[in-house]
Amino acid sequence: MVTFVDTVTLHLRAGKGGNGCVSVRREKFKPLGGPDGGNGGDGGDIVLVADTQTGTLLSYHHSPHRASGNGGFGMGDNRSGFMGETLELPVPVGTVVKDPNGEVLHDMVIPGERFVVAEGGRGGLGNAALASPKRKAPGFALLGTPGFEGDVVLELKTVADVALVGYPSAGKSSLIAAISSARPKIADYPFTTLHPNLGVVQAGEARYTVADVPGLIEGASEGRGLGLEFLRHVERCSALLHVLDCATLEPGRDPISDLDVILAELGAYEVPEGQVPLLERPQLVALNKIDVPEARELAEFVRPDLEARGFRVFEISTVAREGLRPLTFALGEIVEEHRKAAAAVETPRERVVIRPKGAQKEFTIRVEGGTWGDIFRILGEKPVRWVQQTDFQNEEAVGFLADRLEKLGVEDELFRVGAKPGSTVVIGEGDSIVFDWEPSLSSAAELMTAPRGTDPRLLRGGRRTTEERRERYHERMDAKAAAREELEQQRLAARREDGE
């Protein structure tokens, strides 16, 4: 049974926005009461909250599908729809949020921090909100847009000041139990610890956290054992404590060789960009199990070699509680120095950049080659959202969309990239709404007197264009010339017969 999970993929679906309402006020003696359709409610967001009481992602491993509430539809009498319920998901402090491609979206290291990981859809405007002096009684409303739907990856990286690293059964769990109030599982067999354990240590005025990382073995950075799976929990630690077993009975092992293997695995692990490599951080060595006479002799023998390599060495016994106080105070000094150095580094103030309205283009047009000619794909937040809000069963709503696109400058840009009347235009990625572009449509919906819910610009009227009238004229002239030629031929033929 899984008891600890530090990586999980969440399948999220944020709430949809409610549709706007099309309604006309009806009251006695007021036949033209005007539009009174309310707006739809926004869909609920999905929010991650850094919670100090949550220590694992196990609940999301069992239930990875999460959804927030949808927004309510607008109603008549200017009544707006209800807002969708926001879903809050507590995650451990130190959780890194990534997209499926591995790009970091947010790092939740501050307790109580909130991050909107999936934004709900917008509610559509009712016809009351769409009314204007020129469009007094709109016969349409905007639809609600869908919320975010996709996957995110949660990766837990333990937030601790000191990491205990070493071979399995080196005594790391016993050490953290001896210097703190943590009570991890302890047994005399390898890989007893299956997940990181945290403990809080008080050494004089210094207070810091210690993480017991599951045992490393040779090849851990390549996937052997449990080391690679949990090496990420060492990334945030400011100091490393190598716990070496001086009483091991395994052949071919000794504290020096164990330390070399651990250092090689730590050096092979790549930390994220901007962080200090693991081997460049402060490191101490604890020679454990000196309560065993042979182990004490071995610790005294290898200590000069370790000190010659630049390590501060402490001989300890978690069973006899020997040598623990100097070790905890030494770790406290390193942590305090690291905190002071971090506080001394001034965080550069964020530069405020004020961009004038219209400085950034709100859409782009990508020309794609197709079997039947070029396809002009319009990309941008606004055009895509406007298409989602349009009811294509309502001609007036389609005309309103055309007006919005033209005011945004889409028609001018289509001319610039080489689009011609009848060209195929697609808005958004993938299989979206396909249009046959007709630039002759003008934005004059506010001045039209057609019935509500219709747009005469989309209807093929009987009035001919100048080109069509010119073609018909030439056809009539050609027909008359042909008729005159035929009559002349008949006349000449009759004269020849009379002459004979």
Side-chain angles (χ1 to χ4, degrees):
M1 179 179 178
V2 180
T3 58
F4 181 81
V5 174
D6 59 359
T7 302
V8 69
T9 300
L10 281 183
H11 311 287
L12 305 178
R13 182 178 62 81
K16 300 178 181 178
N19 297 340
C21 176
V22 180
S23 176
V24 177
R25 183 180 180 184
R26 292 174 175 83
E27 187 176 346
K28 192 175 182 180
F29 305 121
K30 292 184 179 180
L32 301 177
D36 65 348
N39 302 333
D42 294 338
D45 299 331
I46 300 179
V47 183
L48 299 179
V49 182
D51 184 14
T52 56
Q53 302 300 318
T54 304
T56 178
L57 302 173
L58 182 61
S59 59
Y60 306 119
H61 173 76
H62 294 303
S63 302
H65 296 271
R66 302 299 175 105
S68 56
N70 297 328
F73 289 1
M75 296 169 283
D77 199 17
N78 294 307
R79 292 175 295 172
S80 298
F82 59 84
M83 307 292 285
E85 184 177 358
T86 299
L87 178 64
E88 294 186 357
L89 302 178
V91 296
V93 178
T95 300
V96 180
V97 187
K98 300 181 178 180
D99 63 9
N101 298 324
E103 182 179 354
V104 177
L105 302 178
H106 197 71
D107 193 355
M108 308 190 68
V109 296
I110 303 176
E113 186 177 6
R114 299 169 63 87
F115 173 63
V116 179
V117 66
E119 189 174 357
R122 291 189 181 186
L125 297 179
N127 65 340
L130 295 173
S132 66
K134 296 181 180 180
R135 187 191 293 109
K136 296 183 180 298
F140 68 98
L142 300 184
L143 306 179
T145 60
F148 172 86
E149 186 170 359
D151 299 341
V152 295
V153 179
L154 303 183
E155 183 178 292
L156 175 60
K157 296 181 180 180
T158 304
V159 179
D161 298 306
V162 179
L164 307 183
V165 295
Y167 260 76
S169 298
K172 300 184 298 298
S173 299
S174 301
L175 176 58
I176 197 172
I179 62 179
S180 70
S181 298
R183 293 296 177 262
K185 181 180 179 182
I186 299 174
D188 189 15
Y189 57 84
F191 299 112
T192 304
T193 304
L194 298 178
H195 59 83
N197 297 302
L198 285 176
V200 180
V201 180
Q202 186 74 42
E205 297 182 356
R207 185 182 181 90
Y208 55 92
T209 56
V210 178
D212 165 23
V213 181
L216 303 176
I217 61 173
E218 187 174 1
S221 59
E222 300 175 357
R224 291 189 60 196
L226 301 177
L228 177 62
E229 183 178 355
F230 294 106
L231 269 174
R232 67 172 65 94
H233 297 280
V234 187
E235 292 181 6
R236 302 185 189 277
C237 298
S238 56
L240 303 177
L241 176 61
H242 298 277
V243 182
L244 305 180
D245 187 359
C246 293
T248 180
L249 300 178
E250 296 183 23
R253 280 188 54 192
D254 60 80
I256 299 295
S257 62
D258 288 356
L259 178 62
D260 291 337
V261 170
I262 299 302
L263 292 177
E265 298 305 322
L266 294 177
Y269 182 76
E270 296 183 2
V271 299
E273 185 178 357
Q275 294 189 12
V276 179
L278 298 181
L279 294 184
E280 296 181 12
R281 304 181 188 186
Q283 302 177 59
L284 282 73
V285 173
L287 300 174
N288 194 18
K289 303 181 182 181
I290 62 173
D291 53 288
V292 179
E294 294 81 0
R296 185 183 294 272
E297 294 178 2
L298 180 60
E300 295 175 353
F301 178 76
V302 301
R303 179 168 185 164
D305 294 338
L306 295 174
E307 291 179 343
R309 297 171 63 172
F311 293 103
R312 293 182 61 185
V313 182
F314 298 85
E315 300 178 11
I316 64 171
S317 171
T318 58
V319 175
R321 305 275 176 144
E322 182 179 349
L324 299 182
R325 183 178 176 84
L327 175 62
T328 56
F329 275 82
L331 291 174
E333 292 176 1
I334 294 176
V335 172
E336 289 297 321
E337 291 177 1
H338 179 268
R339 291 174 179 172
K340 292 179 181 179
V345 177
E346 294 185 1
T347 304
R349 297 181 61 183
E350 184 179 356
R351 184 178 180 182
V352 180
V353 180
I354 301 177
R355 295 181 175 86
K357 185 178 180 180
Q360 292 184 342
K361 205 169 186 179
E362 296 180 308
F363 69 93
T364 58
I365 298 180
R366 187 173 67 206
V367 182
E368 302 175 354
T371 305
W372 306 104
D374 291 336
I375 297 176
F376 299 86
R377 189 178 297 275
I378 302 173
L379 303 174
E381 180 185 356
K382 281 189 175 181
V384 173
R385 186 176 73 245
W386 290 347
V387 168
Q388 294 173 344
Q389 293 176 329
T390 301
D391 179 10
F392 287 93
Q393 303 300 321
N394 188 306
E395 295 179 359
E396 189 179 355
V398 177
F400 180 68
L401 171 63
D403 294 343
R404 300 174 89 179
L405 293 176
E406 195 219 353
K407 291 177 181 178
L408 190 63
V410 172
E411 187 167 305
D412 295 338
E413 186 67 13
L414 285 172
F415 272 118
R416 191 188 67 80
V417 298
K420 299 178 180 179
S423 298
T424 302
V425 176
V426 182
I427 299 180
E429 293 284 6
D431 297 332
S432 186
I433 302 298
V434 180
F435 302 90
D436 290 333
W437 184 49
E438 294 292 344
S440 59
L441 295 180
S442 60
S443 60
E446 297 85 351
L447 305 178
M448 293 182 180
T449 58
R452 291 190 305 112
T454 61
D455 192 334
R457 295 175 299 168
L458 303 179
L459 302 177
R460 292 292 183 181
R463 183 176 179 180
R464 297 189 301 267
T465 63
T466 303
E467 184 66 24
E468 291 174 343
R469 291 196 299 270
R470 183 181 295 110
E471 292 178 358
R472 292 292 299 274
Y473 172 77
H474 289 307
E475 289 177 0
R476 290 196 303 270
M477 295 299 101
D478 293 342
K480 289 180 179 180
R484 286 194 297 269
E485 180 66 22
E486 184 179 358
L487 291 174
E488 181 65 18
Q489 294 297 332
Q490 292 177 359
R491 187 179 65 81
L492 294 176
R495 290 181 61 182
R496 284 195 298 267
E497 291 177 357
D498 294 340
E500 294 176 357

